[in-house]
């Protein structure tokens, strides 16, 4: 029996080598001056990552082993609180679960890191999207990968202060997020829907150009593919909140939940319930995001 199990394991290992599949590690870093509560959403039919929500104090980081062919999104929630009944909520990036962990995606506006690993041609596809709006700076930096377009991407700028008033989300007098024009107005020309549902009919708007000028490597509207999608082979990824340290009023929010109120601090060992084995990773295939 032991010999049979060893043979199966070796066969699966060589299958992975032949397929060129690579299991990545995500390092998530909080360089903001305030707590960020990352959320994770795995694409339909893709292996799930657990937990789907946690807290990162200023300066804290954690690492996540990501299954082969994983597809999904990662974002940061801010200004989160827990009320007397235990209901957890966030002013920006909330996922509507009422708990620390998420069971769905981010409620706009939110800056999104999007991935499809080991997709077409064995390449990883990744981007930082502002299509659903913006709530904090975020960058994706590949580590050790190869490819002509294997480079850092995202939005290092803090846009909340300069956000157009008609898009701005405020907490008191402080801008804490910036809506997309689609979210703010629901107009098909901004949403790339209806008669504007093709690359030929949906063009950049003055609002999307606000995002693009500040963050030239981030998605600014639905068909902003040419300058916003990046590819690597065999890379690990560092996802950084506030790559240029931010000193927002959010850092001094007296109602922010301390990490200790929602469990122990996440580390690369405590945070993941266990590594996903190479053998199982070989069997997971997903070619598109959502």
């Amino acid at each position: 029996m032991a010999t049979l199990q060893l043979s199966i394991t070796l066969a699966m290992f060589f299958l992975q080598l032949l397929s060129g599949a690579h299991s990545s590690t995500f390092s998530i870093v909080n360089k903001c001056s305030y707590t960020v509560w990352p959320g994770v959403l795995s694409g339909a039919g893709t292996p799930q990552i657990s937990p789907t929500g946690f807290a990162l104090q200023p300066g804290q980081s954690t690492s996540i082993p990501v299954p082969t062919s994983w597809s999904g999104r990662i974002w940061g929630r801010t200004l989160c609180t827990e009320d007397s009944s235990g209901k957890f909520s966030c002013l920006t990036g909330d996922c509507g679960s009422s708990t620390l962990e998420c069971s769905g995606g981010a409620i706009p506006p939110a800056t999104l890191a999007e991935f499809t690993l080991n997709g077409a041609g064995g390449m990883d596809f990744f981007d930082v999207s502002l299509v659903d709006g913006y709530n904090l700076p975020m960058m994706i930096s590949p580590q050790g990968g190869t490819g002509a377009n294997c480079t850092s991407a995202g939005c290092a700028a803090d846009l909340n202060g300069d956000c157009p008033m008609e898009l701005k989300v405020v907490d008191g007098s402080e801008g804490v997020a910036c809506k997309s024009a689609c979210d703010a107005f629901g107009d098909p020309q901004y949403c790339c829907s209806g008669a504007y549902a093709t690359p030929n009919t949906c063009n950049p708007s003055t609002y999307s150009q606000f995002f693009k000028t500040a963050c030239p490597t981030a998605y600014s509207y639905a068909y902003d593919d040419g300058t916003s999608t990046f590819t690597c082979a065999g890379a690990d990824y560092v996802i950084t909140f506030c790559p240029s340290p931010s000193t927002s009023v959010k850092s001094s929010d007296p109602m922010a939940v301390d990490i200790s109120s929602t469990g122990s601090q996440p580390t690369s060992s405590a945070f993941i319930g266990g590594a996903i084995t190479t053998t199982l990773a070989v069997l997971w295939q997903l070619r598109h995001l959502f």
Side-chain angles (χ1 to χ4, degrees):
M1 179 63 70
T3 301
L4 177 59
Q5 290 175 336
L6 177 61
S7 298
I8 292 173
T9 300
L10 288 173
M12 297 300 288
F13 174 73
F14 285 115
L15 176 61
Q16 184 177 27
L17 291 180
L18 290 172
S19 68
H22 170 77
S23 184
S24 298
T25 298
F26 288 172
S27 298
I28 304 177
V29 182
N30 180 18
K31 290 188 177 181
C32 302
S33 60
Y34 48 88
T35 304
V36 175
W37 289 261
V40 180
L41 176 65
S42 299
T46 194
Q48 301 297 297
I49 291 177
S50 179
T52 56
F54 52 97
L56 285 180
Q57 297 282 19
Q60 190 176 12
S61 64
T62 194
S63 295
I64 307 173
V66 182
T68 303
S69 300
W70 183 80
S71 179
R73 293 173 167 180
I74 297 173
W75 68 97
R77 296 170 287 175
T78 65
L79 289 168
C80 300
T81 59
E82 189 175 73
D83 68 16
S84 59
S85 68
K87 180 180 178 181
F88 182 85
S89 63
C90 302
L91 189 57
T92 80
D94 192 65
C95 56
S97 65
S98 299
T99 63
L100 177 63
E101 293 201 42
C102 291
S103 56
I107 298 171
T111 312
L112 304 174
E114 302 180 316
F115 292 89
T116 296
L117 303 183
N118 290 298
M123 301 296 290
D124 298 343
F125 295 79
F126 64 95
D127 66 81
V128 169
S129 175
L130 309 182
V131 175
D132 287 342
Y134 167 101
N135 68 329
L136 79 172
M138 186 193 308
M139 293 291 294
I140 301 172
S141 300
Q143 306 291 308
T146 60
N149 201 24
C150 186
T151 187
S152 295
C155 184
D158 188 343
L159 304 183
N160 289 330
D162 294 331
C163 178
M165 285 304 300
E166 57 269 38
L167 305 182
K168 185 176 289 189
V169 177
V170 297
D171 180 31
S173 60
E174 178 78 6
V176 295
C178 191
K179 294 181 180 181
S180 68
C182 175
D183 188 31
F185 309 122
D187 191 316
Q189 67 175 316
Y190 298 132
C191 299
C192 295
S193 60
Y196 300 90
T198 70
N200 292 330
T201 57
C202 192
N203 298 310
S205 68
T206 55
Y207 294 110
S208 70
Q209 288 171 343
F210 162 76
F211 291 114
K212 196 65 176 179
T213 299
C215 305
T217 61
Y219 259 92
S220 60
Y221 77 108
Y223 293 112
D224 193 13
D225 303 86
T227 59
S228 308
T229 300
F230 296 82
T231 57
C232 288
D236 295 318
Y237 297 92
V238 177
I239 302 159
T240 305
F241 300 114
C242 304
S244 300
S246 172
T247 55
S248 167
V249 70
K250 289 178 280 190
S251 63
S252 60
D253 178 11
M255 296 301 292
V257 178
D258 187 85
I259 191 171
S260 62
S261 69
T262 51
S264 60
Q265 294 186 7
T267 63
S268 57
S269 57
F271 161 107
I272 296 295
I276 300 175
T277 65
T278 300
T279 302
L280 288 176
V282 176
L283 302 177
W284 289 325
Q285 299 296 323
L286 190 67
R287 296 288 174 151
H288 62 280
L289 179 61
F290 303 103

